[in-house]
Amino acid sequence: MRIGSAVQYDRYGDFDVVELVPQERPDAGPGEVVVEIVAAGLNHIERFLREGKLRDHIELDFPARQGVDFAGIVRARGEGIKDLRVGDEVMGHAPNGGSHATWLAVPRSAVIKKPEHVGWEVAGGLYLAGCTAVSVVRGLKLGPQDTVVITAAAGGVGHIECQLAHDAGATVISLGSARNHDYLRQIGTLPVVYGEGEEERIRAIADGRPITAFIDNHGESRAEELAERLGVAPGRFVSSEARRDIEIRFLRAPADDEEPRELLTLLAKAVQDRRVQVLISGFYPFEYIVEAYEDLAEMKSRGKVVIGMQTVETGARMDWYRSEKARDLRDRYADARGSDTETMAGGSTS
Ligand SMILES: NC(=O)c1ccc[n+]([C@@H]2O[C@H](COP(=O)([O-])OP(=O)(O)OC[C@H]3O[C@@H](n4cnc5c(N)ncnc54)[C@H](OP(=O)(O)O)[C@@H]3O)[C@@H](O)[C@H]2O)c1
């Protein structure tokens, strides 16, 4: 029997509650597919969930599994599944968590086919940040008449919002550190350094255009005041809390909820057509899940932080791809940390 591994935690807490436990391949129940995960995204909201900060919204059953975004290969299909075959490449969401694992059994309706030209890392990290970004931008009904300010613009959610807003024809003023400005220009936005003096800098770059909308990803009280001073109508300010509520909704969206599937399909097509380009800020081997979360918590991401799994089952035409990439990274980490470094799974990285 092939043994994989899954992230699990048995109480609320910091990174120290996270463990990698052995996982056997689950069976596919009626209407389900079993996916071998190739790549899976990380999201702040899942850290908040593990830390117990979302208990007013979601009460966990322990032991809890982690991870909502994923892309992978169908390894088994349950009774009634006719439109997917073993070996098909899919992407989707885990309605009850659990994508930070070797395998995931999910209802068929929680996956879509992965477009051929969307890379594994991008497909694996697209769901939550992407659906949140689409939902926020759609909610504002942006068009060519709009000038929108977006904070944390180079982050996992922000960089997708920027591109969607630009695609809708809006002028986008992106707040970010100077090191991100070349990138923010490349995606068609007008970058501005945040912090003291930002209001003047925003007005200067707006060059007389009225600011009609404001998306605050970062979440500071000053953002709402800033939006007010810039003349943004209250209904056109999206607070960080409003964004969090959207994320929570997608985090636990049931598999038969049509909206996530619709949004993910739309996003995957936009990525395939290169209308949205998703950056991968960090790509970590699965055993380095804690390091990957630490990276995310640094709050300096340019795009998404994603984990890549090791090959467990063989024979997939993509096996070479993920084993090469994940192994290269793992070896690089092992070199940097010393070849006898213990992994979370208890093995050696050498
Ligand atoms: N309200 C909530 O409950 C809630 C829910 C989810 C996420 N969030 C927050 O939303 C933010 C973005 O989310 P994400 O998923 O896109 O995360 P992310 O990918 O980690 O965002 C990273 C971005 O945050 C920016 N940033 C860091 N410190 C900042 C500051 N002091 N002011 C403005 N921007 C700052 C960075 O910009 P530079 O590198 O350009 O400096 C970086 O590009 C995060 O701060 C996250 O904690 C809040």
Side-chain angles (χ1 to χ4, degrees):
M1 178 179 299
R2 295 180 193 285
I3 299 291
S5 41
V7 169
Q8 185 173 293
Y9 52 98
D10 59 9
R11 60 192 186 285
Y12 291 111
D14 207 343
F15 295 119
D16 55 325
V17 303
V18 172
E19 41 175 3
L20 270 186
V21 298
Q23 183 192 30
E24 288 179 15
R25 194 172 97 172
D27 293 327
E32 282 186 344
V33 287
V34 171
V35 178
E36 187 179 6
I37 310 292
V38 176
L42 269 62
N43 297 287
H44 288 288
I45 202 100
E46 292 175 280
R47 181 163 58 86
F48 302 154
L49 185 65
R50 190 192 65 237
E51 290 168 349
K53 290 180 180 159
L54 300 181
R55 290 172 78 170
D56 288 348
H57 304 270
I58 300 169
E59 194 67 44
L60 290 175
D61 291 326
F62 293 112
R65 290 276 160 103
Q66 179 184 277
V68 63
D69 312 333
F70 68 88
I73 299 167
V74 174
R75 294 302 193 189
R77 54 181 193 169
E79 204 186 308
I81 309 290
K82 296 208 165 48
D83 60 342
L84 278 182
R85 288 175 306 175
V86 169
D88 278 353
E89 297 171 8
V90 294
M91 55 196 285
H93 83 282
N96 297 308
S99 70
H100 294 168
T102 303
W103 293 287
L104 178 72
V106 275
R108 161 69 185 91
S109 51
V111 305
I112 62 168
K113 282 198 179 177
K114 180 180 84 60
E116 196 180 348
H117 298 296
V118 176
W120 285 110
E121 301 95 316
V122 169
L126 195 58
Y127 170 74
L128 192 60
C131 288
T132 302
V134 178
S135 188
V136 166
V137 172
R138 266 192 180 177
L140 285 169
K141 298 187 170 53
L142 294 173
Q145 71 288 356
D146 283 302
T147 297
V148 57
V149 174
I150 300 181
T151 76
V157 175
H159 85 296
I160 302 177
E161 290 168 342
C162 282
Q163 294 174 72
L164 296 170
H166 180 256
D167 198 37
T171 300
V172 182
I173 298 177
S174 52
L175 295 199
S177 301
R179 70 186 180 92
N180 283 323
H181 284 198
D182 277 348
Y183 166 67
L184 291 168
R185 274 187 211 101
Q186 280 168 25
I187 56 172
T189 71
L190 302 172
V192 165
V193 172
Y194 55 81
E196 207 181 317
E198 61 196 355
E199 182 178 341
E200 291 69 35
R201 289 192 289 278
I202 291 170
R203 286 187 195 284
I205 210 157
D207 196 22
R209 281 174 289 234
I211 311 292
T212 58
F214 195 118
I215 300 172
D216 180 29
N217 289 300
H218 183 63
E220 281 188 27
S221 53
R222 68 182 166 84
E224 189 161 7
E225 293 157 19
L226 175 61
E228 233 176 84
R229 287 198 304 274
L230 290 168
V232 175
R236 305 212 84 214
F237 171 74
V238 181
S239 68
S240 171
E241 290 71 32
R243 178 197 130 173
R244 182 204 55 200
D245 291 347
I246 292 172
E247 277 189 78
I248 290 172
R249 176 226 174 314
F250 287 118
L251 185 63
R252 283 293 183 266
D256 59 4
D257 185 336
E258 282 179 15
E259 193 187 6
R261 197 169 50 250
E262 182 227 322
L263 296 190
L264 191 60
T265 305
L266 190 135
L267 276 159
K269 178 151 189 348
V271 173
Q272 163 112 325
D273 297 345
R274 298 178 180 242
R275 278 182 294 118
V276 171
Q277 303 212 23
V278 176
L279 285 190
I280 301 301
S281 180
F283 181 62
Y284 289 81
F286 188 21
E287 306 91 293
Y288 289 85
I289 181 81
V290 168
E291 284 83 350
Y293 262 107
E294 283 169 348
D295 178 348
L296 184 70
E298 294 267 316
M299 294 283 309
K300 282 290 155 202
S301 297
R302 186 187 293 154
K304 287 293 301 175
V305 176
V306 175
I307 49 170
M309 279 56 174
Q310 291 293 312
T311 304
V312 172
E313 304 200 23
T314 54
R317 57 203 151 113
M318 295 306 286
D319 276 353
W320 63 271
Y321 175 90
R322 65 184 150 152
S323 40
E324 281 282 312
K325 290 208 89 166
R327 198 172 293 139
D328 284 354
L329 276 157
R330 187 185 58 174
D331 291 350
R332 214 173 305 145
Y333 275 96
D335 286 347
R337 295 160 46 135
S339 58
D340 58 350
T341 308
E342 286 279 307
T343 66
M344 278 191 51
S348 163
T349 56
S350 62

